[in-house]
């Protein structure tokens, strides 16, 4: 968590350098006629708070969080357990699994960019670039070439040269689109076994003439039993973690 906090603070360093170079202050003090003083906050504080509010969204969209939370949500729907696990539990699982998956990326960003900057070995611009490189390579590995080509065509960028670095403006939407596709593919494969159980239970109830009894009530214990017997949580978590490094 400390390294993650330092990484987020490093993202704000170029902005801070610009403000200091321009001589802007956080607040101004205006002497009053009666000897008092009036304090006024400048617009740079508003800009800083705006950047801080966008950092969580940027962090989510550049990590494995999107794929994980979608898969877990589809899993809960396939089980038919309504709000169990709750949204808070799913978010917690997704967050900590994201930290586990992204640990090598965070460590690399800290070692290559943040630590040299704190040791005054690199400028803020160079440190920012080196700290963002691990995220860039992680996102590029998970992005489909078809998605990159799609957004390059929309932006009028032309055919991408493999020898050139993909612009971040193209990589980010391509990465998010690829993550959504992969998450729904995994969710589809997870949904199939539970759908088969629902169909079997519904067919049995129809053949017995018990049409007023909800098949979901009868199939739920069978789906839970199947999920527990195959150690479902370990399989789902392990599969998602390994899907990022294949």
């Amino acid at each position: 968590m400390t390294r993650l906090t330092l990484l987020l603070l490093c993202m704000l360093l170029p902005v801070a350098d610009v403000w200091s170079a321009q001589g802007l202050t956080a607040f101004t003090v205006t002497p009053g006629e009666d000897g008092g003083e009036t304090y006024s906050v400048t617009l740079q504080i508003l800009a800083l708070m705006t950047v801080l509010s966008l950092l969580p969204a940027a962090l989510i969209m550049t990590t494995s969080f999107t794929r994980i939370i979608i898969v877990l949500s589809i899993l809960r729907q396939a089980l038919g357990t309504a709000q169990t696990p709750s949204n808070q539990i799913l978010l917690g699982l997704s967050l900590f699994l994201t930290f586990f998956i992204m640990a090598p990326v965070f460590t690399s960003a800290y070692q290559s960019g943040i630590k040299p900057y704190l040791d005054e070995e690199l400028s803020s611009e160079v440190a920012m670039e080196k700290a963002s490189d691990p995220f860039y390579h992680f996102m590029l590995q998970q992005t489909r070439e078809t998605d990159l080509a799609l957004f390059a065509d929309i932006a009028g960028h032309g055919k991408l040269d493999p020898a050139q670095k993909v612009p971040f403006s193209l990589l980010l939407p391509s990465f998010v689109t690829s993550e959504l596709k992969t998450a729904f593919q995994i969710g589809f494969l997870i949904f199939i076994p539970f759908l088969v159980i629902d169909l079997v239970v519904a067919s049995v109830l129809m053949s017995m003439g018990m049409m007023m009894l909800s098949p979901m009530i009868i199939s739920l214990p069978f789906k839970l039993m199947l999920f527990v017997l195959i150690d479902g949580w370990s399989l789902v978590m392990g599969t998602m973690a390994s899907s990022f490094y294949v």
Side-chain angles (χ1 to χ4, degrees):
M1 292 297 293
T2 303
R3 293 179 178 179
L4 178 59
T5 303
L6 291 174
L7 180 60
L8 296 178
L9 291 177
C10 185
M11 295 179 179
L12 298 176
L13 292 177
V15 180
D17 285 350
V18 172
W19 287 341
S20 61
Q22 294 178 348
L24 297 176
T25 56
F27 59 90
T28 57
V29 180
T30 304
E33 296 180 355
D34 55 353
E37 294 179 340
T38 302
Y39 298 88
S40 60
V41 180
T42 58
L43 290 179
Q44 67 180 20
I45 297 299
L46 178 60
L48 176 61
M49 296 306 296
T50 302
V51 172
L52 288 176
S53 64
L54 294 177
L55 279 180
L59 184 63
I60 288 174
M61 303 309 290
T62 56
T63 61
S64 58
F65 184 86
T66 302
R67 183 188 304 186
I68 297 171
I69 189 63
I70 291 177
V71 171
L72 292 181
S73 300
I74 294 177
L75 172 63
R76 183 175 65 179
Q77 186 175 0
L79 286 171
T81 54
Q83 295 299 317
T84 304
S86 63
N87 293 331
Q88 290 81 0
I89 294 177
L90 291 186
L91 288 172
L93 285 174
S94 303
L95 186 61
F96 287 110
L97 187 58
T98 298
F99 288 153
F100 171 76
I101 294 172
M102 300 296 296
V105 179
F106 291 149
T107 302
S108 178
Y110 177 79
Q111 294 293 338
S112 61
I114 299 177
K115 188 175 184 298
Y117 175 79
L118 296 178
D119 295 337
E120 299 182 354
E121 298 175 358
L122 296 176
S123 63
S124 60
E125 293 81 4
V126 177
M128 179 64 185
E129 181 179 357
K130 289 185 175 296
S132 62
D133 280 343
F135 289 91
Y136 175 87
H137 293 297
F138 170 81
M139 294 167 63
L140 189 61
Q141 290 177 353
Q142 311 303 323
T143 304
R144 293 176 173 84
E145 294 182 1
T146 54
D147 294 324
L148 280 173
L150 170 65
F151 284 97
D153 182 65
I154 294 175
H157 191 275
K159 187 176 181 180
L160 295 174
D161 187 357
Q164 295 180 348
K165 189 174 183 179
V166 179
F168 193 80
S169 59
L170 295 179
L171 179 60
L172 181 57
S174 303
F175 169 75
V176 175
T177 304
S178 295
E179 286 296 284
L180 291 175
K181 289 182 180 179
T182 304
F184 277 96
Q185 289 175 352
I186 298 175
F188 171 78
L189 296 177
I190 291 176
F191 213 108
I192 292 300
F194 301 109
L195 180 60
V196 171
I197 295 177
D198 288 332
L199 291 175
V200 171
V201 171
S203 299
V204 172
L205 292 179
M206 288 289 291
S207 63
M208 296 175 62
M210 304 175 65
M211 293 178 292
M212 299 301 295
L213 183 61
S214 174
M216 296 294 297
I217 299 177
I218 305 301
S219 63
L220 178 58
F222 292 99
K223 290 190 288 187
L224 293 178
M225 180 180 65
L226 173 65
F227 194 69
V228 171
L229 289 177
I230 65 174
D231 197 9
W233 286 114
S234 297
L235 287 176
V236 171
M237 296 296 182
T239 300
M240 284 193 295
S242 61
S243 66
F244 287 95
Y245 299 100
V246 294

